[in-house]
Amino acid sequence: MSPSPRKAHALELFSGIPHGYDRVGAVLSLGQDRRWRRALVGAVSPSASERVIDVATGTGLVAQALVDRCGCSVVGVDQSDQMLARARQRRLGEPSFGARYLPVLAEAENLPFADGEFDALTFTYLLRYVDAPGAVLSELARVVKPGGRVGMIEFGVPNRPALRGAWSLYTRVGLPLFGRLVSRQWHEVGRFLGPSITGFYERFPLRRLIALWEAAGIRDVHVRRMSFGAGVVMWGTRDGEHG
């Protein structure tokens, strides 16, 4: 079955950038991505004996933060083999991380794992790239044990008008310009991000996004807006009654 236009575009968009993804991503986020990852890991906070699945693992940055801070084992899932190739390099280059991290090529819509197989789940920048966010959230919740934590990082849009104006200028002008200085592929990513983030929150404002989490069987949902609203960390607990 061929991927949908949204999924095909995402695969094409990020196929040429894994090698410099970590460094350039940090620059384009103005260094905030590390803070967001710390907040996510702190919110999910697995124990060293627990097993976590990191969906849309990309190059393994969140997975490494989980292993380094918590000592847990992490299975990293991504639909992009190019991104996973960089994650595998990270795994080989850092034996202590590699011993606790397993990258797996799979789609968030159809995870190849049993119900309740993991103690916790994290995902980053995922829901903007899928056709049915509610269905994907249900699939993510399916593989988490009742009572397990689920956490997310996503880009946000500032609420305050002055900050939103600055954010819009940066995402619509600054990101494409900075991306062009790096490569053609990063220029395309820079052009895509601003409209993609805005469009997502027009369709799924935070109150509706929280409702989707709850409908998927995730309760006690919390939202932390960071970096003046440019980043959003969400987390909740897998409901034992779902499914």
Side-chain angles (χ1 to χ4, degrees), residues 34-52:
R34 184 185 295 269
R35 292 184 61 237
W36 303 344
R37 288 194 296 273
R38 285 200 302 265
L40 174 64
V41 173
V44 176
S45 193
S47 68
S49 63
E50 290 186 320
R51 190 164 175 248
V52 182

Side-chain angles (χ1 to χ4, degrees), residues 5 13 107 170 173 228:
L13 189 68
E107 295 181 324
Y170 178 67
V173 179
F228 303 104

Side-chain angles (χ1 to χ4, degrees), residues 144-147 214-219 237-243:
V144 180
K145 295 176 182 177
E214 292 172 342
I218 306 168
R219 56 181 170 80
T237 303
R238 171 69 157 85
D239 193 331
E241 297 178 358
H242 180 62

Side-chain angles (χ1 to χ4, degrees), residues 73-116:
S73 297
V74 181
V75 174
V77 172
D78 205 281
Q79 66 175 1
S80 169
D81 203 27
Q82 292 89 345
M83 284 288 188
L84 285 180
R86 179 68 186 92
R88 295 184 190 105
Q89 291 175 358
R90 183 190 303 280
R91 181 172 181 259
L92 292 173
E94 302 184 37
S96 60
F97 169 59
R100 292 185 172 274
Y101 178 62
L102 176 66
V104 174
L105 182 66
E107 295 181 324
E109 295 91 338
N110 186 25
L111 296 171
F113 305 105
D115 295 358

Side-chain angles (χ1 to χ4, degrees), residues 11 20 26 64 69 92 97 102 105 109 114 119 126 235:
L11 285 167
Q64 183 163 24
R69 181 168 168 178
L92 292 173
F97 169 59
L102 176 66
L105 182 66
E109 295 91 338
D119 298 291
L126 170 66
W235 68 95

Side-chain angles (χ1 to χ4, degrees), residues 213-226:
W213 280 53
E214 292 172 342
I218 306 168
R219 56 181 170 80
D220 298 331
V221 179
H222 299 266
V223 178
R224 180 179 176 187
R225 297 173 66 89
M226 301 184 67

